Amino acid sequence: VLYWHNMQTVARRELHKLTRHRPDPPRDTVEEACPDPLNVLGLTKDKARHVKELNLSGRGVATLHTNLLIFGNMEVMWLNDNHLTEVRGLLPADSGRASAASDEGSLGLRRLKSLYLSNNRIGTLEGDIKRLKYLQVLLLANNELRNMEVICQTLAQLKYLKQLDLFGNPLAEEVNYRLYLIHHLPSLEIFDRQAVTMKERAQANALYSTAAKAASNYAFGSTAPVQCNAVIIEFMEKRWRRIWHRVKDNKGAFDLRCGQIMDLASRGTMVHIRTAGLPSQSVTSKPGSYPIEQLRKGFAISFKGEGDPITKEDVEENWVGSKEHLARLWNTAPQDKNASLKRPLTRVLYDTPGNPHGLALSVPSVGLTGDCGWSKNTPAAVEVYVDIGNEGDDKPMDMSLSVRHLQHKVLKIRAEDQSKILREKDAETLEAATYHATKEMFHDTWSKRLGIDTARRAAQKEEKAEVTQGKKDVAAALRLLK
């Protein structure tokens, strides 16, 4: 993955060189261009403090004018496509310039947040950049920056830096350049026009943090940082299956049967032993070494061949890890040739006779007390893994499941799904019953109201009819009297 990423970076840089056209300045110029920002903007000195953004790109700038120091409220500065070789002049460099700037009412561009310096000739960041403590955006693409460690130390002082572009610089061709800067600049969000992902940050931290510690403690005084880094990165990218863990009472137990472990080892290449939850307390066998061969045969991995002891030289040759834990793997007493019958893999995984502080991994059985720890006197939650390749999705495999545990988990998931379905059905039934009850209640209420209104209207109609009939009777009586 790292190799493919580096190849993509080189390809993008070469393509950019082919498509970019940046003519060199004429060689016969007597003095370097140093435009006055006040003349460019057409302002007086008393108006400079109101300027928030200044664009001096493509003006052949080789040095910065001293009048920049009076732009005390500047936040964005464009200096791309010029001939700058260093960044000086944004802040006062000595006491004389500082006093002159203070006389003008400013101490330089201390509030600068964005600085665009792409397509220049900058070969060093010594100067004013590390003093711009509020800087958030810094674009330095297509310059001549080379020393990645020095550049990183300078940029590490910018605590609020969120966007950085170093694309097209010679340092971009170095191995693991992107991961190195991501690790040392934790505030970065966009690097070389690409967002910094959580996966990249995890890889960077693993490569330049855990691997460095492991390399510094390499076995028996020898050092091999490149090899140690490769083993740790390989452990991250591979998928592993646990075959041993600690149970209650500081005893150990196998996760798989002997036949299953042999089948798993036939497809794997490495063995990893560590303390649960503490990756720094771990050792890893080299690919194809004797530990995986012993597992393929169904033997304990504390011996090689038909029972030959493991010397310190064998440990140094076949294992990688911290010095303290590698010193617990050797033994001096040879094993009986019939040890596979007396102590098969189902009983002993690691035993170190002759080493008083050696690793002890065995289950309680006849003649064995059962131990799980980096030594018999210091119990620990030691786990043993075998790699099963790096195919499949990016999600880590649940390595704590044996076949029975997996079956139990499947049944548990099915029961949970069934109970969830029943709960959903009950909820639907309750919702329907509530709806019908509410509908009936409203129907009864409206029916009662409708009945009351109907009776009231009938009484009003009857009363109105009586009044009308009374008026008719009075009129008839009046006609008769006339």
Side-chain angles (χ1 to χ4, degrees), residues 225-418:
V226 176
Q227 184 183 33
C228 191
N229 292 353
V231 171
I232 290 178
I233 292 299
E234 188 173 8
F235 177 73
M236 290 179 56
E237 296 179 352
K238 282 180 174 293
R239 300 177 68 194
W240 297 76
R241 180 65 183 269
R242 194 179 70 182
I243 63 173
W244 174 274
H245 71 287
R246 185 181 71 170
V247 293
K248 60 182 180 179
D249 299 331
N250 295 324
K251 304 299 182 181
F254 286 94
D255 290 280
L256 302 174
R257 296 180 180 178
C258 181
Q260 295 172 332
I261 296 177
M262 294 172 62
D263 179 68
L264 183 65
S266 65
R267 294 180 281 114
T269 58
M270 302 164 62
V271 178
H272 180 74
I273 306 174
R274 68 172 183 178
T275 304
L278 298 174
S280 59
Q281 300 181 8
S282 63
V283 292
T284 305
S285 67
K286 297 181 181 180
S289 54
Y290 76 87
I292 196 71
E293 294 291 340
Q294 293 293 97
L295 290 181
R296 292 171 183 171
K297 299 176 183 178
F299 296 162
I301 60 177
S302 52
F303 299 90
K304 62 179 182 179
E306 296 182 357
D308 299 331
I310 305 299
T311 63
K312 294 182 179 180
E313 291 75 14
D314 294 331
V315 174
E316 182 178 355
E317 182 181 353
N318 295 277
W319 293 85
V320 174
S322 65
K323 181 179 179 180
E324 177 186 358
H325 295 86
L326 287 175
R328 301 177 183 274
L329 301 182
W330 60 268
N331 60 76
T332 57
Q335 190 182 28
D336 189 357
K337 291 186 178 182
N338 296 324
S340 59
L341 299 177
K342 295 181 179 180
R343 292 187 177 181
L345 186 60
T346 53
R347 298 180 182 179
V348 178
L349 181 60
Y350 210 103
D351 190 17
T352 53
N355 187 351
H357 304 289
L359 180 65
L361 302 176
S362 61
V363 297
S365 59
V366 179
L368 297 173
T369 58
D371 301 293
C372 181
W374 290 102
S375 67
K376 292 185 177 181
N377 299 326
T378 56
V382 178
E383 298 177 339
V384 182
Y385 296 88
V386 175
D387 71 297
I388 55 176
N390 55 359
E391 299 179 356
D393 53 13
D394 295 334
K395 297 181 179 179
M397 180 179 178
D398 189 356
M399 297 178 290
S400 64
L401 297 178
S402 62
V403 176
R404 293 182 179 179
H405 292 166
L406 184 59
Q407 293 175 350
H408 176 71
K409 187 173 183 180
V410 170
L411 294 176
K412 184 177 179 181
I413 293 175
R414 289 179 179 176
E416 291 178 354
D417 293 342
Q418 189 68 22

Side-chain angles (χ1 to χ4, degrees), residues 147-157 180-181 184-185:
N147 195 328
M148 185 167 63
E149 294 183 0
V150 175
I151 298 301
C152 187
Q153 291 176 1
T154 302
L155 296 177
Q157 302 181 38
Y180 182 86
L181 286 171
H184 290 87
L185 303 176

Side-chain angles (χ1 to χ4, degrees), residues 210-228:
T210 307
K213 294 180 181 179
S216 63
N217 297 325
Y218 192 68
F220 306 114
S222 61
T223 58
V226 176
Q227 184 183 33
C228 191

Side-chain angles (χ1 to χ4, degrees), residues 25-213:
R27 299 295 181 182
D28 56 350
T29 54
V30 179
E31 54 183 35
E32 298 177 332
C34 182
D36 188 350
L38 295 177
N39 296 334
V40 173
L41 297 175
L43 298 176
T44 57
K45 290 186 177 182
D46 58 337
K47 301 292 185 181
R49 66 177 183 275
H50 301 295
V51 178
K52 297 288 187 180
E53 183 174 349
L54 177 61
N55 191 340
L56 294 178
S57 60
R59 294 180 177 270
V61 179
T63 58
L64 299 179
H65 201 279
T66 55
N67 281 340
L68 275 176
L69 297 176
I70 64 177
F71 290 80
N73 295 320
M74 183 84 69
E75 295 183 357
V76 182
M77 185 74 174
W78 298 80
L79 288 169
N80 52 293
D81 298 296
N82 286 297
H83 310 309
L84 294 171
T85 58
E86 60 179 0
V87 184
R88 297 184 185 274
L90 301 177
L91 295 171
D94 51 36
S95 59
R97 295 184 64 180
S99 61
S102 62
D103 294 340
E104 299 294 341
S106 174
L107 288 177
L109 281 61
R110 297 186 180 276
R111 300 182 180 181
L112 199 63
K113 296 181 179 179
S114 300
L115 182 58
Y116 300 91
L117 295 167
S118 300
N119 301 325
N120 279 278
R121 298 176 176 180
I122 300 173
T124 177
L125 294 185
E126 294 294 331
D128 295 338
I129 288 183
K130 60 184 178 181
R131 299 164 59 193
L132 300 172
K133 60 181 180 179
Y134 300 112
L135 197 62
Q136 299 179 7
V137 179
L138 179 60
L139 304 188
L140 287 162
N142 301 318
N143 280 281
E144 299 179 2
L145 300 174
R146 298 180 181 278
N147 195 328
M148 185 167 63
E149 294 183 0
V150 175
I151 298 301
C152 187
Q153 291 176 1
T154 302
L155 296 177
Q157 302 181 38
L158 305 177
K159 304 301 181 181
Y160 301 101
L161 187 62
K162 296 182 179 180
Q163 182 176 352
L164 176 65
D165 190 359
L166 298 176
F167 180 78
N169 286 274
L171 62 85
E173 301 179 10
E174 298 190 21
V175 179
N176 298 332
Y177 139 81
R178 181 176 176 87
L179 295 180
Y180 182 86
L181 286 171
I182 288 175
H183 173 70
H184 290 87
L185 303 176
S187 62
L188 275 186
E189 297 178 0
I190 301 176
F191 181 37
D192 282 359
R193 310 163 198 176
Q194 296 181 5
V196 178
T197 63
M198 296 299 294
K199 184 177 180 180
E200 286 179 324
R201 199 171 296 281
Q203 290 179 350
N205 293 336
L207 181 60
Y208 292 103
S209 178
T210 307
K213 294 180 181 179

